[in-house]
């Protein structure tokens, strides 16, 4: 079985501050991990993915995530928040061969204050 | 169109009625997924179609939910005898599935907001 836990349903940062969105996973097999972003009034889109190559993955819009097997984590970071980063972010895992679809976390809504 | 198209964008229905939600995936995408997004609940997997294989229905919450995919393209999600707890945004996604899960990239539609009164 596989699951994803996102700590913090809402995160608020100031513009220019560090963004840290937390994701912990559980998987019975080596996982593939993803971050998706949903901007207001738009569909979800892929931000970045980890597929067992480099543990530090860079995505679009300056975001990156680091896979840490010992901590079963895949936290999303960005050094300096921009107003346009305000959105809902979803962590997802795939790796259980019994379930082909991605298993998503409950999401974290990021607010960026001016 | 270039993206995944879902219709209707909004659906209001009365408890007990049946509803049909439609998804037009990106042309050529062999994989199609239905998810449900409830307020504060994240995305809940419902059903997955891949080519001509039998669909993975393991996420359907009850036998009131069913889905079909005709000709490997358009999919319809049907909810019979709707209940208030069915109110949610129903999202469809498609994927080319050309290289297995390592290359998995889902392209999502904008969803159908279902409200059951």
């Amino acid at each position: 079985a596989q699951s994803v836990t996102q700590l913090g349903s809402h995160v608020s940062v100031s513009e220019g501050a560090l963004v840290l969105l937390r994701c912990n996973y559980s998987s019975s097999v080596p996982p593939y991990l993803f971050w998706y972003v949903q901007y207001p009034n738009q569909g979800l889109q892929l931000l970045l993915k980890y597929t067992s190559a480099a543990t530090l993955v860079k995505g679009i819009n300056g975001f990156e995530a680091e896979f840490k097997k010992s901590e079963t984590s895949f936290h999303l970071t960005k050094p300096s928040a921009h107003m346009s980063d305000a959105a809902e972010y979803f962590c997802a895992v795939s790796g259980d061969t019994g379930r082909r679809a991605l298993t998503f976390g409950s999401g974290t809504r990021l607010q960026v204050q001016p | 169109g270039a993206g995944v198209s879902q219709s209707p964008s909004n659906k209001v229905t009365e408890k007990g009625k049946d509803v049909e939600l439609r998804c037009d995936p990106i042309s050529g995408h062999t994989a199609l997924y239905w998810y449900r997004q409830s307020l504060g609940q994240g995305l809940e997997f419902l059903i997955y179609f891949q080519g001509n294989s039998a669909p993975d229905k393991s996420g359907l919450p009850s036998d009131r939910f069913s889905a079909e995919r005709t000709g490997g393209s358009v999919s319809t999600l049907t909810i019979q005898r709707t209940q208030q707890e069915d109110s949610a945004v129903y999202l469809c996604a498609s994927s080319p599935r050309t290289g297995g899960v390592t290359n998995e990239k889902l392209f999502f539609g904008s969803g159908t907001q279902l409200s059951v009164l």
Side-chain angles (χ1 to χ4, degrees), chain A residues 32 36 38 94 99 101-102, chain B residues 35 37 45 58 97 101 106:
Chain A
Y32 302 113
Y36 279 79
Q38 187 175 29
S94 177
R99 165 69 64 82
L102 298 183
Chain B
Y35 284 86
Q37 186 177 17
F45 166 72
S58 60
R97 268 280 178 177
V101 71
L106 271 61

Side-chain angles (χ1 to χ4, degrees), chain B residues 38-87:
Chain B
S38 303
L39 196 61
Q41 298 295 316
L43 275 72
E44 176 189 4
F45 166 72
L46 298 177
I47 189 168
Y48 161 66
F49 296 90
Q50 171 56 40
N52 295 321
S53 303
D56 176 357
K57 304 180 182 180
S58 60
L60 295 178
S62 76
D63 59 8
R64 296 186 296 105
F65 288 73
S66 64
E68 63 178 19
R69 188 178 185 192
T70 55
S73 181
V74 172
S75 177
T76 302
L77 177 69
T78 301
I79 309 173
Q80 296 178 309
R81 304 181 302 282
T82 52
Q83 304 294 313
Q84 288 184 332
E85 60 263 29
D86 299 334
S87 297

